[in-house]
Amino acid sequence: MTTSDDSLGQVHPTSLHGGYAQPAAGDDAGDHYYSHGDDLAYDIHDPYSQYDPYGFERGGICGSEAHGVEETVVNAVPFDEGAPMDPGDSSDRWGVRGQVTRRRFIQGLAVAGTVGFGVVGGAKPVDRQAIESQLAAKSASTGESVAPKVVDLQAMAPPVAAVLDEVEVEVEVEVELITPAPIDQRVLVFIEFQGGNDGLSMVVPYGSSAYYDRRPRLAIAGEAVLPIDEQVGLSPSLARLHQRQLRTVEGVGPVDGVLSHFEMVERWELGDMRGRGGQRAGFLARLADSVDVGAAVTGLSVAGHTPRLDASRSSTLALNDFNQLRVLTNDEWIYPRYRSAVRSFGGGPLSTTISQSWDKLFDVGDSINGDIDKVNKDSLMIREGGGLGRQLAMAAEMIKADVGVRVVHASLGGFDTHDGHQGKHERLMRTFDAAVDGFLQEIENAGMGDRVLVATSSEFGRRVGENGSGLDHGAASSMLMLGPVPPGRAGDPSPVADLDRNGNLKTTIPFDRYLATLAQDWLGIDAASVLPDAPEPIGLI
């Protein structure tokens, strides 16, 4: 059974239907119910007390819930962030009134500055004496007789009982936000979406009617979206990453209307918003040079050679296959003799420089796992992450070897979806989801989860309006960050209802400001030293 009192805060289980929760039969018509995705939400209402911004009552007994015949009570920890809600205020300034979902709870911790949060709600036997004492105190203060209300679950409407039987209700919540490691230990993993990623299919504006008006065939149904808040959510193909510490950066793109793949890829590579040239090394190479301390490998490309990592003084390494690591790690057959011969080069400035470079590289081989070149086919990265998964598997091994890697470049192609957009994009998102989730799990298992930030890029977005089964080149798009960042949304969303003259999302965050954020806020590098025009970081890390 469930024991509760309307005036102390009441928890109502809800009946789920089509992704949204419907009031159970017999509940008050004025109650608010909401659920989305895999989160079971409750309406917590208290006509006498204040509300906190994320649906947790400030102190006292928040309410109670039960599964089967076990009696439990959930004690909520109060937040101090935000102004109290007026019980008479029907506005929706904090979203759905009383909604408590896992993502909203994590966002609440971030807003409140709570880190390393332990057990928030613990299941324990109902303390009837404590409840009766509080009821007596309330009766004395109000002059009204207040008695507990007992609700028998067996007598509740069948849909509610069915939900409680089928859904595992969590009464103990443990949430811990990862906070960044010291700056000199941080690693940036930069994943390039090649071809122009449609940000609206990755960070879906399911709260916008204009989105559905403009995409009658290619829009993602609202009930399928994995919600971040009441306006946007993630593609349903990103289910694993939806459970991680993730931040969206919306409205990122070019500022002058250039939508050529070749031109915009070069601008991103150089960090040059206007395409004026004058930069010899790529943006990632300049990052590697800025954090270089003489490590064996500072910059690493696991997508083969890229101009992004042609550094001027730091050591960088380009790989595109596990087999290439054999020359560093294999102790069989000719490999040891080859390494010995290369180390012995000498006689002139060029050969000496080559020998010194290879010496550094072979030192890396001495530091890393000798089985690094053997693919773990059971790994999520390899099994479902495709080519990107193989890239990130190499990156994970090099990062775990702790040989000095600070900047990593990886890539995922196929985003130029002029036709067949829906199926293609869903497959790409599933690949990205498995590859990155598997990579982050490897990093966390090594105790390095606070050191690694994954950030995406794409040369531009896609047009909002459909072109048959596809989408043409567009302007602004959305980027993702995963790792030790505050979860939620950042940037300045570009409204679907307010497009530029070509029918594209307007750029609200020039892409060099996004790059400046990665350089300055994450790696501690003055943005003006690595980017033209000294762009201002967004300030989200």
Side-chain angles (χ1 to χ4, degrees), residues 28-228:
D28 297 336
D31 291 343
H32 298 262
Y33 299 87
Y34 182 83
S35 182
H36 223 315
D38 294 328
D39 293 325
L40 180 62
Y42 299 95
D43 178 68
I44 300 176
H45 79 107
D46 181 349
Y48 296 98
S49 68
Q50 299 167 331
Y51 284 74
D52 82 82
Y54 286 87
F56 289 96
E57 190 181 42
R58 297 174 179 269
I61 294 178
C62 175
S64 60
E65 64 182 347
H67 189 54
V69 296
E70 289 286 327
E71 290 183 325
T72 59
V73 62
V74 178
N75 294 324
V77 176
F79 284 86
D80 293 324
E81 184 75 9
M85 286 183 68
D86 181 352
D89 180 4
S90 61
S91 67
D92 198 29
R93 58 195 176 98
W94 292 113
V96 178
R97 188 177 178 89
Q99 176 191 348
V100 182
T101 66
R102 183 176 184 272
R103 175 162 293 278
R104 179 174 288 280
F105 179 67
I106 294 176
Q107 291 173 343
L109 294 184
V111 170
T114 305
V115 176
F117 206 75
V119 176
V120 175
K124 62 182 182 180
V126 174
D127 187 343
R128 295 182 181 276
Q129 185 176 0
I131 293 176
E132 290 171 359
S133 296
Q134 291 202 31
L135 292 176
K138 190 146 191 91
S139 297
S141 64
T142 62
E144 301 176 1
S145 177
V146 182
K149 184 175 77 172
V150 177
V151 179
D152 187 348
L153 286 182
Q154 302 304 319
M156 298 176 77
V160 176
V163 169
L164 292 178
D165 285 339
E166 296 173 4
V167 179
E168 182 180 346
V169 180
E170 295 181 352
V171 296
E172 184 171 294
V173 181
E174 187 171 350
V175 178
E176 183 174 352
L177 289 183
I178 303 173
T179 55
I183 285 178
D184 61 356
Q185 297 179 17
R186 298 179 190 174
V187 179
L188 172 65
V189 178
F190 194 79
I191 300 179
E192 177 188 2
F193 288 165
Q194 297 174 331
N197 176 43
D198 178 41
L200 297 181
S201 295
M202 182 174 71
V203 181
V204 186
Y206 73 99
S208 168
S209 59
Y211 166 67
Y212 292 98
D213 291 342
R214 294 178 183 275
R215 291 193 178 177
R217 286 173 292 182
L218 299 181
I220 298 175
E223 58 267 23
V225 175
L226 305 172
I228 293 174

Side-chain angles (χ1 to χ4, degrees), residues 257 259 463 473 499-504:
L259 299 179
R463 189 151 295 169
H473 296 183
L499 307 177
D500 68 15
R501 61 182 182 180
N502 295 316
N504 299 321

Side-chain angles (χ1 to χ4, degrees), residues 430-503:
R430 286 196 297 269
T431 296
F432 176 70
D433 184 64
V436 174
D437 184 66
F439 168 74
L440 290 175
Q441 191 59 59
E442 284 281 321
I443 294 299
E444 290 167 4
N445 290 344
M448 303 173 75
D450 61 341
R451 294 176 55 177
V452 178
L453 174 70
V454 174
T456 68
S457 76
S458 189
E459 61 261 42
F460 42 67
R462 313 301 296 184
R463 189 151 295 169
V464 176
E466 300 172 349
N467 177 22
S469 66
L471 301 167
D472 292 332
H473 296 183
S477 188
S478 293
M479 311 298 157
L480 297 180
M481 291 183 176
L482 294 112
V485 291
R489 300 172 65 187
D492 185 7
S494 183
V496 180
D498 182 22
L499 307 177
D500 68 15
R501 61 182 182 180
N502 295 316

Side-chain angles (χ1 to χ4, degrees), residues 241-528:
L241 298 184
H242 181 249
Q243 300 301 315
R244 288 193 167 275
Q245 208 164 311
L246 174 148
R247 195 166 185 83
T248 67
V249 186
E250 301 163 51
V252 179
V255 295
D256 56 5
V258 175
L259 299 179
S260 159
H261 289 294
F262 305 104
E263 177 68 21
M264 289 310 304
V265 166
E266 183 176 71
R267 292 188 186 188
W268 272 88
E269 286 179 347
L270 297 176
D272 185 357
M273 173 60 66
R274 301 287 179 180
R276 292 160 295 190
Q279 303 291 331
R280 297 184 60 185
F283 167 69
L284 296 182
R286 297 198 294 275
L287 294 184
D289 284 342
S290 298
V291 298
D292 179 45
V293 292
V297 178
T298 302
L300 172 68
S301 172
V302 287
H305 175 263
T306 172
R308 294 174 184 265
L309 272 173
D310 287 342
S312 59
R313 61 177 181 272
S314 60
S315 294
T316 61
L317 176 65
L319 300 169
N320 57 20
D321 194 281
F322 268 106
N323 291 326
Q324 294 176 336
L325 293 171
R326 290 180 183 272
V327 72
L328 302 181
T329 62
N330 200 314
D331 288 328
E332 300 173 358
W333 194 46
I334 198 173
Y335 294 106
R337 295 182 181 182
Y338 174 77
R339 292 195 291 268
S340 176
V342 173
R343 286 181 189 270
S344 66
F345 281 178
L350 179 59
S351 59
T352 299
T353 300
I354 293 173
S355 178
Q356 290 173 345
S357 298
W358 277 100
D359 261 343
K360 281 188 175 183
L361 196 54
F362 293 146
D363 287 342
V364 173
D366 294 337
S367 303
I368 61 181
N369 180 3
D371 293 331
I372 188 174
D373 60 315
K374 297 177 181 177
V375 178
N376 178 9
K377 295 182 180 179
D378 293 329
S379 165
L380 176 64
M381 286 183 285
I382 304 302
R383 193 176 67 249
E384 299 181 34
L388 178 61
R390 296 174 67 89
Q391 294 176 41
L392 293 181
M394 288 189 287
E397 293 300 329
M398 294 293 288
I399 292 171
K400 290 189 296 182
D402 209 15
V403 294
V405 173
R406 299 290 306 282
V407 180
V408 178
H409 171 257
S411 66
L412 177 62
F415 286 91
D416 197 18
T417 53
H418 288 281
D419 57 71
H421 168 81
Q422 196 164 49
K424 291 177 181 178
H425 198 271
E426 287 174 359
R427 288 191 293 272
L428 289 167
M429 290 293 99
R430 286 196 297 269
T431 296
F432 176 70
D433 184 64
V436 174
D437 184 66
F439 168 74
L440 290 175
Q441 191 59 59
E442 284 281 321
I443 294 299
E444 290 167 4
N445 290 344
M448 303 173 75
D450 61 341
R451 294 176 55 177
V452 178
L453 174 70
V454 174
T456 68
S457 76
S458 189
E459 61 261 42
F460 42 67
R462 313 301 296 184
R463 189 151 295 169
V464 176
E466 300 172 349
N467 177 22
S469 66
L471 301 167
D472 292 332
H473 296 183
S477 188
S478 293
M479 311 298 157
L480 297 180
M481 291 183 176
L482 294 112
V485 291
R489 300 172 65 187
D492 185 7
S494 183
V496 180
D498 182 22
L499 307 177
D500 68 15
R501 61 182 182 180
N502 295 316
N504 299 321
L505 291 174
K506 296 177 181 177
T507 293
T508 54
I509 303 291
F511 75 77
D512 60 348
R513 290 193 60 200
Y514 175 65
L515 298 180
T517 302
L518 301 178
Q520 190 162 306
D521 288 359
W522 180 246
L523 293 177
I525 302 168
D526 180 13

